[in-house]
Amino acid sequence: MEFFDRYTREEWQSFKSSSAYDNLTVSRDYIKQAEIAEVYAPLLEFIGISIDHIKALNYQQQAYLRAPRRVEPFVIGISGGVSVGKSTVAAVLRDLLRQVYPQKQVELMNTDGFLYPNQYLIDHGILDRKGFPESYDMEALKAFVNKVRQSDGVLEYPIYSHEIYDIVPDRKITMPQPNILIVEGVVVLQTPENPPISVRDFFDFSIYVDAEFENVFEWFNHRYDVIFDRVKDDPSSFYYEMAHWTKEETRAYAHKIWDTINTPNLEQHIAPTKDRADLILHKTKDHYIDNIYVRKF
């Protein structure tokens, strides 16, 4: 972490200076009010500095170029490994940003919608590499985020269903033009070799959610337990048959997925992007955020 300054949770909390963040709440049972006050409130204030700075910079550049004045959306990227809790961080941040900026349109998009359909992965022999960079339509993802930045037309993107383990055919999510967009997924900070432009080039601020390997593996196992319990009476689910396996069989399956897919993907493609983030949220047991790392430059 040589490129970052580390702050304990207590130090991070002490930076909050505005009372405007004192009464924020989220209707999610797994997020304690203390975490909102000690972690998210200072984070919102810190992000707010970037929002104000980018807005002023855009106006100054537009004035210099005698260009029509327009407010560009502020885009936040959130990455991290599978099961580390990045989706929760993204959802909580969206809910809180909507409270801090009630006049703005704040939206959240998960990049799973830009996975190639299973049939494409099968045809190209990479179904067992689902989640790796090559399993995503990165050009389509870049085109979408660019369209957001340009405030250009109706925004829509594919739907990925964890229940069927595939892209939902012939359906799209339509998104209103956002003032603030959070883009969450394992690939958002990845940069293919020598690209003309990558997804991360569109971000104004980026966050990496980090945790120790053994903790993430425990959360991954719990995730499968939740999925199997939820779909045990749903024959249409991809996981229906597995939901009726023994505990030993489901654990063995999860362990295989972790060892053959998630671990190499994390080590080779996801974790190396950590240093590209502006801020790192480090978690310990029970998803407790204990340290915050802020980029030095």
Side-chain angles (χ1 to χ4, degrees):
M1 298 283 193
E2 61 178 312
F3 304 119
F4 293 83
D5 289 317
R6 182 181 72 88
Y7 301 100
T8 65
R9 183 164 170 149
E10 292 72 23
E11 291 171 327
W12 180 249
Q13 179 188 12
S14 71
F15 296 140
K16 187 179 76 68
S17 61
S18 173
S19 60
Y21 304 91
D22 288 347
N23 298 314
L24 299 174
T25 60
V26 291
S27 56
R28 299 175 185 273
D29 295 339
Y30 47 81
I31 298 296
K32 296 181 172 60
Q33 193 61 35
E35 185 162 296
I36 296 174
E38 296 167 6
V39 177
Y40 284 96
L43 177 59
L44 289 163
E45 197 166 36
F46 190 70
I47 292 174
I49 295 171
S50 292
I51 292 175
D52 293 341
H53 171 73
I54 294 295
K55 180 179 178 181
L57 177 62
N58 287 341
Y59 280 171
Q60 290 171 1
Q61 291 176 335
Q62 291 163 11
Y64 181 80
L65 298 172
R66 302 191 185 102
R69 175 170 290 191
R70 68 185 185 92
V71 180
E72 294 190 12
F74 188 86
V75 184
I76 301 170
I78 299 182
S79 189
V82 173
S83 296
V84 77
K86 59 188 179 299
S87 296
T88 297
V89 170
V92 171
L93 189 58
R94 176 201 57 194
D95 293 351
L96 295 175
L97 282 167
R98 285 176 173 174
Q99 295 175 55
V100 174
Y101 299 100
Q103 76 283 9
K104 294 184 183 294
Q105 189 74 37
V106 182
E107 297 294 332
L108 166 62
M109 184 198 75
N110 183 289
T111 59
D112 284 352
F114 291 91
L115 281 161
Y116 285 114
N118 285 354
Q119 191 58 54
Y120 175 97
L121 302 179
I122 292 169
D123 292 344
H124 288 77
I126 56 173
L127 183 61
D128 61 347
R129 290 180 65 81
K130 194 170 190 175
F132 282 70
E134 63 268 31
S135 67
Y136 285 85
D137 188 346
M138 296 300 290
E139 292 304 313
L141 176 57
K142 286 191 289 186
F144 177 85
V145 182
N146 182 53
K147 194 171 186 178
V148 171
R149 295 305 303 247
Q150 300 303 318
S151 303
D152 183 21
V154 176
L155 300 171
E156 60 178 23
Y157 59 95
I159 302 172
Y160 182 83
S161 168
H162 288 280
E163 304 301 326
I164 66 171
Y165 192 63
D166 202 354
I167 297 295
V168 179
D170 304 320
R171 287 185 60 195
K172 302 273 189 180
I173 293 176
T174 300
M175 176 190 294
Q177 181 63 46
N179 302 112
I180 300 174
L181 174 65
I182 300 170
V183 181
E184 176 263 315
V186 298
V187 295
V188 300
L189 295 179
Q190 292 177 14
T191 305
E193 186 176 356
N194 298 321
I197 194 167
S198 65
V199 175
R200 65 183 290 264
D201 292 320
F202 294 100
F203 298 149
D204 299 295
F205 192 87
S206 57
I207 298 170
Y208 186 93
V209 184
D210 194 23
E212 304 309 321
F213 188 89
E214 60 271 17
N215 290 331
V216 183
F217 180 55
E218 178 184 328
W219 302 335
F220 177 74
N221 278 317
H222 175 70
R223 177 178 178 176
Y224 265 104
D225 289 342
V226 171
I227 291 174
F228 291 154
D229 185 63
R230 187 174 68 238
V231 306
K232 62 185 177 182
D233 297 319
D234 180 9
S236 66
S237 171
F238 173 82
Y239 298 101
Y240 175 72
E241 182 180 341
M242 300 177 207
H244 294 85
W245 290 353
T246 66
K247 192 73 169 180
E248 292 73 22
E249 289 173 323
T250 58
R251 281 285 186 240
Y253 174 80
H255 210 296
K256 178 182 177 181
I257 295 298
W258 183 260
D259 287 344
T260 62
I261 298 177
N262 290 352
T263 296
N265 194 20
L266 177 64
E267 292 177 347
Q268 298 169 21
H269 301 289
I270 303 171
T273 69
K274 185 189 311 183
D275 286 347
R276 296 175 185 156
D278 296 302
L279 182 142
I280 299 170
L281 297 175
H282 182 271
K283 293 181 171 185
T284 183
K285 290 281 188 179
D286 300 320
H287 289 275
Y288 182 85
I289 298 173
D290 59 344
N291 289 295
I292 294 86
Y293 295 82
V294 178
R295 177 174 285 283
K296 293 179 180 178
F297 55 86

